[in-house]
Amino acid sequence: MTTSNAASPPPRSIVEAAGHAVGAGTLTIIAGPCSVVTTDQTVRVAQIVKDAGATMFRGGAYKPRTDPRSFQGMRKDGLAMLQEAKQQTGLGIVTELLDVRDLEDVLGVADVIQIGARNMHNTALLKAVGQAGCVVLLKRGLAATIDETIGAADYIRCEGNERVILCERGIRTFETTYRFTLDLIAVPILQERSGLPVIVDPSHAAGRRGLVTRLSKAAIAVGADGLMVEVDERPEQALSDGPQQLRSEHLAAYMDEMRHAASAEDRRVSRVA
Ligand code: PEP
Ligand code: MN
């Protein structure tokens, strides 16, 4: 018998979000456009996401952009679009909060509040969503270590909110031929070290749609608790992240591939009834 001095890892937690048990051995797939722009687009894509059998709908109303002159999101109007999509499809909504001042508005529609990579170090925002007690999808920062990512999650948990899901979305390395380096080793390490569910966003890492399916399968193989993938109906006209978004007419085939990859590991995709 071997003995070890290492402390045993924390038990894995399950986070209930919009009626789904994230981290319970199923696969949670969150899909939707980078940005919501019109009600028609939002509702149509949400219906496609539902029909394809994904778990929840994502869409950005407040957008963190590198250039302040770029599209910043539809803001409150965007939240109303998400509300309409939620009403018409019954899908849970994942959307990003950029500013503490918008917390109440975002809480009005979001089943899961996303804290984006650029805000992972924003301790005021982390404390605020911790105090709000809502489900938080915390994305790893562009240049954050695993310890720093766990520290950011602890800011939320120290406020008494254990409902945190982590997201590996690629980190900045010396490599420039694709957008970010998807750090798949981080997935089991974050799971073990934090005890939290960990999902993977292949879209922002790849930066182009042709790589998204393969990265998604790799994420399932490494044990991710879910995926968050961008999909839009006319990605070439999208106001943000067009090149990386799957075309909505290809989502059903993508979901088939994900179900197949999941079933190879005796897992299934959690979907709305
Ligand atoms: C997004 O999900 O649209 C987004 C802006 O992601 P990230 O914070 O990972 O760049
Ligand atoms: Mn995006």
Side-chain angles (χ1 to χ4, degrees), residues 42-238:
T42 307
V43 171
R44 270 198 303 265
V45 179
Q47 195 59 55
I48 290 167
V49 166
K50 183 178 184 180
D51 293 345
T55 316
M56 283 185 258
F57 182 64
R58 67 148 282 153
Y62 297 90
K63 296 305 303 176
R65 306 303 301 282
T66 304
D67 184 339
R69 290 163 294 258
S70 307
F71 173 65
Q72 302 286 306
M74 299 303 288
R75 311 178 64 80
K76 269 195 185 194
D77 291 344
L79 296 179
M81 294 169 199
L82 292 167
Q83 186 69 54
E84 187 64 28
K86 181 174 178 161
Q87 249 154 31
Q88 294 206 23
T89 63
L91 289 169
I93 301 292
V94 182
T95 196
E96 180 163 357
L97 174 71
L98 283 185
D99 187 320
V100 186
R101 289 168 291 188
D102 300 315
L103 177 61
E104 288 307 315
D105 289 341
V106 173
L107 274 174
V109 62
D111 294 282
V112 178
I113 289 193
Q114 176 176 326
I115 300 296
R118 287 155 192 82
N119 267 318
M120 192 207 83
H121 295 287
N122 184 337
T123 54
L125 201 53
L126 298 172
K127 285 180 185 174
V129 291
Q131 285 159 17
C134 53
V135 181
V136 181
L137 177 62
L138 176 62
K139 295 186 101 176
R140 182 181 184 185
L142 273 54
T145 64
I146 287 174
D147 278 342
E148 287 164 346
T149 307
I150 292 170
D154 285 345
Y155 263 91
I156 301 168
R157 301 170 96 177
C158 279
E159 299 298 327
N161 184 359
E162 290 290 331
R163 305 169 81 197
V164 183
I165 303 164
L166 297 175
C167 181
E168 163 59 38
R169 47 78 72 208
I171 51 173
R172 183 154 283 160
T173 66
F174 53 82
E175 187 51 71
T176 56
T177 55
Y178 47 82
R179 204 171 174 196
F180 295 99
T181 299
L182 190 62
D183 182 11
L184 288 176
I185 306 175
V187 173
I189 297 178
L190 284 168
Q191 286 171 331
E192 271 169 36
R193 296 270 310 278
S194 71
L196 298 170
V198 179
I199 71 168
V200 167
D201 169 353
S203 303
H204 288 86
R208 47 193 155 110
R209 72 180 61 84
L211 295 171
V212 167
T213 300
R214 279 171 284 181
L215 293 179
S216 302
K217 287 183 186 170
I220 293 172
V222 84
D225 295 290
L227 298 163
M228 181 158 78
V229 62
E230 288 190 338
V231 55
D232 206 348
E233 55 180 6
R234 276 186 288 278
E236 35 296 299
Q237 288 169 27

Side-chain angles (χ1 to χ4, degrees), residues 34 204 230 241 244:
C34 181
H204 288 86
E230 288 190 338
D241 287 348
Q244 72 197 29

